[in-house]
Each structure stands twice: as structure tokens, then as C-alpha cells.
Amino acid sequence: MARPDWRLLDKDLARLNQMERTTGYVVRPLLGLGLALAFMALAGVEAALVLGTSPTTIMAMVAAVFGAYLALNIGANDVANNMGPAVGAKALPMTAALIAAALAEVSGALLGGSEVVATVSSKLIDPEAMSAPQTVVQAMMSAMIASALWVNLATWMGAPVSTTQSIIGSILGATTAAAGFGAVDWFTFSGIATSWMLSPLIGAVLAMALLALIRRLITQQDDKMAAARRWVPLLLAGMGGAFGTFFVLKLPESLSSATSSQALLAGVGVALLSFLIARPLILHRAAQLEHQKGAIKALFRLPLVIAAVLMSFAHGANDVANAISPLATIVHVMGQQEAGTHPAEINALASLHVPFWVLIIGAFGMAMGVLLFGPRLVNMVGNQITKLNPIRAYCVSTSAALTVIVASWLGLPVSSTHVAVGAVFGVGFYREYAAAHARRAGQKAERPGLPREDRSRRRLVRRSHVLTILAAWLITVPLSAALSAGIYALMHVFSV
């Protein structure tokens, strides 16, 4: 009997393993797509079961499907703002970050998203110009589809964009197509657009200032660990105070109706509590890490995880309105029509109560978007713009919270995406500045006759990603508006 050739068997097994890896690479995206489509179909079925066999059921089913599609894309894109810095700093592994974000998003949406307050759109659009029920339904449907398509494309390109900008741009586009340019308050919109442009700059400047302060107080000191024992508890207390204030301000009125002064007092209280908790923990942890490499950075890891979870909860409670406002408005208008309400009495842009089944679609849609499609944008923000460690990620998260607080006091609507990504840009460009300054100082002191180094080799921020993201930010409102106007025109033609 011939002996088996084990080398041939090993080669066959290697080929099988390679085939399995290739199959998994191909099937994994298809699995995510299949689960997303299944969720959208279930959203339509849920609408049919809740509304029964009324004349508006078909339209409500279609609206629910596109509402689920929009929620999936908002979850996939916006998770990068909350979890990107923590993942990039290796404070959380990707899988744990996605699960934590999904749970926090669902919790925030279900607890705080039961009401949709009057949005920025109500300040921009003349309600009288959008009083006809059919016009409102078609405009909101167009806005949902256009916003979801643009956010989907931006996520595929690897560009974190503002979903608030996308939905507002889409509503403006549909409104203009339906009622003309006079239906929009363009002066108010110009002020809002200016705040959107300024917010990433403010976030970048604050992040640079924080990083420079930490370098001066801790990492450039001779005895870094002694400096860390002195300053890290104070820095973490500042972070706790910023997030305490941020959290109170960002929660909807159904959970908190605190004023700015009350939010500030809450932040001061959280800062004091954070200091009392952090100081003994930091002293104990510093003693354990005394002679280990990267000890200073390790002291910032746990606060980063807490900050990321809080930001996800606040995002779920606050931004679920972006996903469900158009759908809730459509359901509200159709319900008023069935009840026989006169069209002139229907105010679709005012505050309205959200049915629980609509809230379920928004909450679980965002969570599924996080789990199925979130890694692409988390990697982009956390790893591919510039290299983050726990100290730099601390600067990103804290400066983002501070920017939102300042903007809230000034009454300026800002994009959390712009603020967070702007802070990442600021950290990266400050690293470039510090490296160039140190290099020039070294050359001047030691070898002044050396030629200038190739600056492209010292760039610590990937320019291609910066340009892609900035371009996506600039075109979000006009592109989503144009797309929404086109979709509305098609719907109007086919409905005549």
C-alpha cells in the first residue's frame, strides 16, 4: 500500500484555506447588505401591521422603508465622530466599540427620542408655503431619499459628513422645488451655514491648544510621571466637566430641560466629582506603571471609553430626529388627512409626537448601521487622517465637547461631525508644526549647514483624506438639495 504524500495534502489544505478567506471577503459585504435590506423590508411590514388596511398604508410602507434606509446610513456615518478617536487611540478594540456604540445609540434614542422638537428647518421654511398635505408628503419623501443616498455615497467614499446638513439641505431643495425660493429664509440659512464653517476651525484650535498644554505641562517635563500625577487628575476633571455640560445640553427636552446656566452648574459638579474619583485612581495607576513604556498615555484610556459611550448616547437621543423627522411628519400628515383635518390646519413643521413604531425604526436602524457599516468611517477618523494615541484622542473628544458647549451658548447650530473631525485635523497639524519646530531647532544647534529636508516625508496628516472630507463637506447641502429637488419633481410629475 502506497504511503500518502503529506506535502500534497498540505498544499490542498492551503488552497482550501485561501478559498475560504476569499469567499469570506466576498460574502461579508453581501451579508451586511442582505441584513440591511431585510431590516428595511421589516420596517415596511411594521408600518402595514400598525396602520392596517387604510388607504394610506402603501405610502406609509414606502416611507417606512426609506426611513429605515436613512437611519442605517446615519448610524454608519455618524459613529465615527463618537468612537473614531477611542479606536484610533487603542482604548477600545473595533468590535467592542461598535457594540458599545450600538447599545448606547439605541438607549439614547428610545429614552430621549420620543419627541421631535421644532428643528432648524422650521426656522428656514415658511409653513404657509408647505400647507398642502400632498406637497408635504412628497417633499419629506424626497428629502428622506436624497439625504440617505448622499450619506450612503459619502460613507462609501470614506467621508464623515454632517447628517444634519444633509437632511436640512434635502428639505430646502424639496421646498424650493415645491414652493419656490421665496419659501426659504435665505438670510437665516446664511448665518447657519457660517456657523457650520466656523465650527471645525474652533474644534481644531481648541484641540491644538489642549495638546500644546499637555506637552508643556507633562510630556516635555524631566519627570513626566510626577507631572502626570499632578496634572492628569485636573485634566480629567476638566474633561468630566465638559462632558457633563455637553451631555445636559445635548439631551432633548423629554429627558432634560435644563438651561445653559443649569448645564454649566451640572458640569462644575461633574468636574469636582471627576477630580475626587480620578485623583486616587491616577496615583494608584501611576505607581503601577512607573517604569513602563507609554505609562502617561495609559492614564487617559478609561476616560476616553466613558466619553465615547456618553457621546453615542447623546447622539442617539438627539440625532435620531434626523432619521425619523421626515417619516414622522409623513405619518402625521396622513393621519390628519384620514381624520378629516382641514389642510390649512395641518402644520407639518411644528413639534409633533413620534409614534413608538417610528422611533423603533430610527433607533434600531442607527444601531444596525453602526454594526454593519460603521468600521469604514471609524477607521478613517481614528487611524487614517493622523495617528492618534490616548492623549491626542483626549484632546479631540474634549475640544469637541467644549465647541458644542460654546456654540450652544451662542445659539449657533453646529455639526458634531465637523467639530470632531476638525479637532482630528487640528491635532495632526499641530504634530506637524511641533515636529518641524523641533527639527529646525536641532539643525540650527547641531548642523546648520544641512539642506532643508523634503517636507512631504514629514507630513503627519494625510492630505488626500483631508481634501476628500473638505470637498464632501462643501457639497453636502447643495448636492442633497439638488438631488431632493430632482426627486420631488419626478414624484410630482408621476402623481399628476
Side-chain angles (χ1 to χ4, degrees):
M1 182 176 178
R3 298 178 58 186
D5 190 341
W6 299 110
R7 289 174 300 179
L8 292 177
L9 180 59
D10 289 342
K11 288 181 179 179
D12 290 339
L13 290 175
R15 291 192 189 98
L16 286 174
N17 288 334
Q18 183 63 31
M19 289 177 62
E20 288 177 356
R21 283 194 293 269
T22 303
T23 302
Y25 181 80
V26 174
V27 170
R28 198 174 297 118
L30 295 178
L31 178 62
L33 179 61
L35 290 174
L37 292 173
F39 176 76
M40 291 166 61
L42 285 174
V45 172
E46 181 185 16
L49 292 175
V50 171
L51 299 177
T53 57
S54 64
T56 59
T57 299
I58 299 299
M59 179 61 74
M61 289 177 62
V62 174
V65 168
F66 284 111
Y69 178 46
L70 178 58
L72 285 165
N73 284 287
I74 288 176
N77 198 281
D78 276 3
V79 67
N81 314 332
N82 310 325
M83 289 297 171
V87 171
K90 295 180 172 56
L92 271 176
M94 178 66 78
T95 302
L98 294 176
I99 293 173
L103 292 175
E105 293 272 356
V106 169
S107 301
L110 292 180
L111 291 174
S114 59
E115 295 178 2
V116 176
V117 296
T119 63
V120 177
S121 304
S122 62
K123 301 175 183 178
L124 297 175
I125 298 171
D126 181 7
E128 294 183 1
M130 295 288 289
S131 59
Q134 184 178 6
T135 301
V136 172
V137 170
Q138 291 178 353
M140 290 298 156
M141 186 76 77
S142 303
M144 266 196 306
I145 298 172
S147 181
L149 287 174
W150 165 239
V151 176
N152 194 346
L153 178 61
T155 304
W156 177 79
M157 292 190 305
V161 297
S162 169
T163 53
T164 303
Q165 282 188 13
S166 179
I167 193 65
I168 289 177
S170 298
I171 291 174
L172 290 179
T175 301
T176 303
F181 287 94
V184 177
D185 185 347
W186 296 105
F187 179 78
T188 301
F189 175 72
S190 64
I192 294 172
T194 301
S195 70
W196 283 340
M197 289 187 287
L198 290 177
S199 57
L201 296 177
I202 297 172
V205 170
L206 286 176
M208 295 170 73
L210 276 173
L211 186 55
L213 181 66
I214 292 173
R215 283 170 57 88
R216 183 177 180 82
L217 295 178
I218 300 176
T219 59
Q220 291 180 340
Q221 297 295 317
D222 294 332
D223 190 345
K224 295 180 178 58
M225 188 56 72
R229 292 191 189 98
R230 184 183 309 114
W231 292 108
V232 169
L234 288 172
L235 290 169
L236 297 184
M239 182 184 193
F243 271 94
T245 308
F246 165 86
F247 194 67
V248 173
L249 287 174
K250 288 289 284 182
L251 289 179
E253 291 184 0
S254 57
L255 285 183
S256 171
S257 57
T259 63
S260 297
S261 300
Q262 291 171 335
L264 179 60
L265 287 175
V268 172
V270 174
L272 292 174
L273 182 62
S274 299
F275 178 79
L276 294 176
I277 295 174
R279 193 170 187 276
L281 292 177
I282 292 299
L283 294 177
H284 177 71
R285 186 65 174 155
Q288 293 179 326
L289 301 171
E290 183 75 38
H291 303 293
Q292 295 185 22
K293 185 178 179 181
I296 306 297
K297 299 171 186 175
L299 299 177
F300 288 88
R301 284 202 177 103
L302 180 58
L304 276 178
V305 175
I306 297 172
V309 173
L310 287 178
M311 288 181 75
S312 294
F313 182 91
H315 176 265
N318 192 72
D319 284 11
V320 69
N322 292 337
I324 63 176
S325 286
L327 175 58
T329 302
I330 291 171
V331 173
H332 170 72
V333 170
M334 291 190 302
Q336 294 290 87
Q337 280 185 280
E338 286 196 352
T341 304
H342 192 276
E345 298 177 5
I346 297 177
N347 187 358
L349 298 177
S351 301
L352 54 95
H353 179 73
V354 179
F356 187 70
W357 67 271
V358 174
L359 187 62
I360 287 288
I361 291 174
F364 285 93
M366 290 198 305
M368 286 194 67
V370 168
L371 293 171
L372 296 177
F373 309 110
R376 184 181 184 88
L377 268 297
V378 171
N379 270 325
M380 168 65 73
V381 173
N383 297 312
Q384 296 180 16
I385 297 174
T386 192
K387 185 177 180 181
L388 294 178
N389 61 27
I391 293 176
R392 297 168 198 153
Y394 161 86
C395 296
V396 170
S397 298
T398 305
S399 62
L402 289 172
T403 304
V404 172
I405 292 168
V406 172
S408 297
W409 284 337
L410 296 176
L412 298 175
V414 297
S415 164
S416 57
T417 300
H418 288 191
V419 173
V421 177
V424 174
F425 289 163
V427 164
F429 285 120
Y430 178 80
R431 292 180 63 215
E432 286 191 3
Y433 163 78
H437 180 73
R439 189 166 62 253
R440 283 195 301 268
Q443 289 179 350
K444 198 173 190 179
E446 298 176 11
R447 288 177 277 180
L450 285 177
R452 181 176 295 181
E453 294 184 42
D454 183 5
R455 291 184 179 179
S456 64
R457 297 180 182 178
R458 297 290 180 179
R459 287 179 174 174
L460 301 177
V461 181
R462 191 171 293 181
R463 293 321 195 252
S464 60
H465 292 329
V466 174
L467 294 175
T468 299
I469 292 170
L470 290 178
W473 287 358
L474 288 173
I475 67 173
T476 290
V477 171
L479 183 63
S480 56
L483 187 59
S484 180
I487 295 172
Y488 175 84
L490 287 174
M491 293 181 65
H492 184 69
V493 168
F494 286 109
S495 64
V496 174

